[in-house]
Amino acid sequence: MDRPLSIVVIGASGDLAHRKLYPALFGLYAQGYLPERFAVFGFARSAYTHEGFREHVAERLTCRYTPQESCGQRVSEFLQRCWYIRGEYGSSDAFLDLYQAMKEVEGAGEAANRLYYLAIPPSLFLATAHALGGAGMVQCGLGEPWSRVVLEKPFGRDSASSARLTREMAKVFTEAQTYRIDHYLGKEVIQNMLVLRFANLVFEPVWNRNYIASVAIEWKEDMGIEKRGYFDDYGIIRDVMQNHLLQILALAAMEPPGRLDSKHIRDEKVQVLRNIPPLTAADVVVGQYTGTERNGRRIRGYTEEDAVADDSLTPTFAAATLRIRNRRWDGVPFRIRAGKALDERVNEIRVRFKDVPGNLFTQAAPPFAASVTAANEMVIRVQPDEAITLRIVNKVPGVGMQLAARDLDLEYKAAFSEPIPDAYEDLLLDVFRGEKGLFIRSDELEAAWEIFTPVLHELETKRIKPAGYAFGSRGPETG
Ligand code: NDP
Ligand code: BG6
């Protein structure tokens, strides 16, 4: 990575850029992962000077990789490489201004690699890509200097719109230049899934329908939609289920890849997604949070949020059971649940094993007879407090034969001294390195939409009313 690098954040004034991208870029810089000559160009309509933009960027930078005494110095070196250009997203002229500014900063000499990060609402992707292309800012070909684009989910609203988006974007950026990000794939525990499954001998032999009774993937947030103005157009199925949860499911259920490269891993993920029959409205429960009182304070329900219509039917909660029709998983339910404004923030995968057949302890005569209360269960906690636990049944110390389930715990904080990187650090570094294994390929996206498009259309055409659940509760009854 010796060649100069220009990182263009389009939508530089936005929430994602502020909370995630600048801190991740600074994290990479502080760890020495960026080339000697790099620059960050912010582009948006808001009025910032270069200095004002640097102040905005600085607000969320942290010293997690830098000793406190040198942190200020590192921050100021980083900020000196940040520039801001104001303009409209669909305007090639505005991008020509940006191009001019980039040329001035990049200077003469070796041409820079260029990354365009579309941190804007999806409705602006196409106009922006065409304007970039129209300004001649996209280098064709796979060699250096390269031009790459990062797109944030949601990639379309259903199969047809996603296919259209893919087709239109391809007029400017080839598939090889396109990085569709699902930031859950950059999370440490999710990246550990393949290692856990395929680098340990003990799990693979039991990772199938003969030993596993069910798999549950749960995603809960304890806050409402807050500033996410786009949410009402999308809803929880498009926002979280069709991407984050389905990706987790694919990693949990895929066959071992022939090799550990992006092609083989993604081939296996696509394969498992194609084996999941599409969902219908009968397969899902949808909910929407309602207002409540807490400590004498009124908490707003979903339809009371700004930018949400009073009669909105957009689900903020959904639960569904998916089936995988293949030799490994036939008959095993994969239950997925996602909801906003619930009782806690947690994302975990629960793999529940079957009961021991002919269990000696339940069949034995006294004094060995005992009731076994729980089956083995493996819990992979993605967040918060990353951990992997395996529930096993034990004899409770003492006379007699009492059994109880206890957890074997691997808590990341206790087991590893290394800081856990933010997902965006890993993913951005992969884009710079041209490593595509953690990004969504177009056929993978297509397979994911095939599963959810019928249920989304049915919910919308039949105007199915989501069940109400109080803000901060455990969500609606899912049966
Ligand atoms: P924002 O709503 O903050 O939008 C980003 C910027 O785009 C704004 O600062 C604004 O800049 C411009 N913009 C917003 N709405 C419009 C509009 N209607 N017309 C023209 N310009 C507009 O989005 P986020 O930063 O939250 O998200 C960006 C992308 O990342 C989205 O695709 C989102 O789905 C995705 N994403 C976001 C996550 C997050 O945590 N925020 C997490 C995962 C994905 P200006 O007015 O200055 O031009
Ligand atoms: C985004 C969703 O993809 O992920 C948001 O659009 C959600 O609705 C966010 O809040 C959660 O990300 P994280 O990393 O905080 O779990």
Side-chain angles (χ1 to χ4, degrees):
M1 295 234 302
D2 291 337
R3 189 181 279 274
L5 173 64
S6 292
I7 303 153
V8 182
V9 180
I10 300 174
S13 54
D15 178 70
L16 177 77
H18 193 223
R19 281 191 314 113
K20 300 285 188 184
L21 303 184
Y22 308 135
L25 288 170
F26 179 62
L28 292 176
Y29 172 67
Q31 294 172 88
Y33 285 126
L34 294 186
E36 186 58 34
R37 286 172 297 152
F38 78 93
V40 177
F41 297 91
F43 180 93
R45 298 170 310 173
S46 299
Y48 287 109
T49 58
H50 294 310
E51 219 29 68
F53 177 59
R54 289 171 186 152
E55 282 164 22
H56 174 72
V57 170
E59 279 164 11
R60 297 301 285 249
L61 305 187
T62 66
C63 295
R64 57 206 298 257
Y65 299 111
T66 324
Q68 202 66 40
E69 59 280 9
S70 55
C71 187
Q73 173 68 23
R74 298 294 274 167
V75 167
S76 113
E77 287 163 9
F78 178 79
L79 292 177
Q80 287 317 305
R81 295 154 185 259
C82 295
W83 309 88
Y84 185 77
I85 292 85
R86 184 182 182 189
E88 293 288 333
Y89 299 104
S91 155
S92 285
D93 284 350
F95 283 103
L96 282 172
D97 293 343
L98 168 67
Y99 188 49
Q100 194 53 43
M102 287 166 71
K103 294 295 287 176
E104 278 167 29
V105 173
E106 288 166 356
E110 203 175 18
N113 288 326
R114 293 189 176 132
L115 167 68
Y116 300 108
Y117 200 118
L118 303 194
I120 41 178
S123 52
L124 302 172
F125 285 174
L126 281 182
T128 304
H130 285 138
L132 274 168
M137 294 170 76
V138 180
Q139 187 81 32
C140 301
L142 292 178
E144 297 215 335
W146 48 252
S147 298
R148 294 179 183 152
V149 67
V150 178
L151 296 183
E152 275 285 352
K153 54 146 273 276
F155 314 109
R157 300 177 46 75
D158 55 13
S159 295
S161 55
S162 171
R164 202 175 324 118
L165 179 65
T166 302
R167 222 171 31 242
E168 287 297 315
M169 285 297 296
K171 292 181 180 163
V172 184
F173 294 97
T174 62
E175 179 67 18
Q177 291 174 300
T178 303
Y179 291 70
R180 294 182 197 85
I181 210 163
D182 180 320
H183 75 283
Y184 269 60
L185 292 180
K187 290 193 186 255
E188 195 60 45
V189 177
I190 303 291
Q191 291 200 47
N192 194 19
M193 291 279 287
L194 292 189
V195 182
L196 192 70
R197 285 191 56 198
F198 303 128
N200 294 292
L201 186 64
V202 292
F203 299 123
E204 187 55 15
V206 296
W207 208 257
N208 55 55
R209 65 193 300 274
N210 299 327
Y211 296 91
I212 290 178
S214 64
V215 178
I217 302 173
E218 182 156 55
W219 184 95
K220 302 206 272 183
E221 257 184 2
D222 55 4
M223 55 188 196
I225 60 159
E226 309 224 314
K227 290 185 186 156
R228 292 182 170 84
Y230 65 86
F231 188 90
D232 199 46
D233 273 345
Y234 289 89
I236 198 77
I237 296 178
R238 293 185 177 95
D239 191 42
V240 172
M241 268 196 167
Q242 183 268 354
N243 31 71
H244 303 331
L245 298 201
L246 204 56
Q247 285 297 321
I248 296 176
L249 185 151
L251 290 172
M254 66 189 255
E255 295 299 315
R259 281 212 304 269
L260 265 189
D261 58 29
S262 63
K263 175 183 179 324
H264 286 81
I265 294 173
R266 294 192 298 179
D267 282 352
E268 292 303 340
K269 277 165 59 194
V270 175
Q271 204 50 46
V272 82
L273 294 179
R274 287 189 178 147
N275 284 328
I276 301 177
L279 293 169
T280 66
D283 303 315
V284 304
V285 172
V286 286
Q288 190 185 74
Y289 63 86
T290 56
T292 188
E293 290 273 331
R294 196 182 289 165
N295 303 327
R297 204 167 63 85
R298 164 109 188 117
I299 302 179
R300 291 197 289 183
Y302 180 68
T303 52
E304 298 161 87
E305 302 273 15
D306 302 335
V308 175
D310 294 349
D311 59 351
S312 171
L313 296 177
T314 302
T316 59
F317 172 97
T321 301
L322 280 75
R323 303 280 171 175
I324 304 175
R325 303 274 185 236
N326 66 13
R327 283 175 74 102
R328 187 186 284 263
W329 295 115
D330 201 10
V332 180
F334 281 73
R335 301 195 178 92
I336 57 177
R337 276 164 63 96
K340 290 200 175 261
L342 293 174
D343 54 332
E344 57 179 340
R345 174 176 180 257
V346 72
N347 175 212
E348 58 189 22
I349 305 142
R350 289 182 172 268
V351 180
R352 191 183 163 89
F353 291 88
K354 291 189 169 171
D355 290 331
V356 176
N359 193 318
L360 279 177
F361 293 92
T362 50
Q363 292 176 6
F368 294 110
S371 61
V372 181
T373 50
N376 297 122
E377 188 174 57
M378 184 168 183
V379 180
I380 301 168
R381 193 177 331 120
V382 180
Q383 62 190 28
D385 302 327
E386 296 82 350
I388 297 168
T389 62
L390 182 61
R391 189 170 68 196
I392 56 167
V393 178
N394 297 272
K395 176 183 176 302
V396 177
V399 290
M401 184 58 72
Q402 203 193 332
L403 306 190
R406 290 290 180 273
D407 286 343
L408 296 178
D409 264 342
L410 176 90
E411 288 181 7
Y412 275 48
K413 276 199 188 108
F416 303 106
S417 53
E418 294 79 2
I420 297 181
D422 184 81
Y424 280 91
E425 287 172 25
D426 247 1
L427 294 171
L428 279 165
L429 191 56
D430 279 359
V431 180
F432 302 149
R433 289 176 169 164
E435 175 48 61
K436 298 196 83 177
L438 297 179
F439 295 84
I440 313 297
R441 208 168 58 185
S442 58
D443 54 350
E444 208 178 333
L445 181 61
E446 201 180 298
W449 278 121
E450 297 273 307
I451 299 168
F452 285 98
T453 296
V455 65
L456 287 163
H457 285 179
E458 196 179 339
L459 289 171
E460 284 157 7
T461 52
K462 291 187 178 161
R463 294 191 53 75
I464 293 177
K465 193 171 180 325
Y469 62 94
F471 194 117
S473 68
R474 301 180 67 174
E477 200 47 60
T478 53

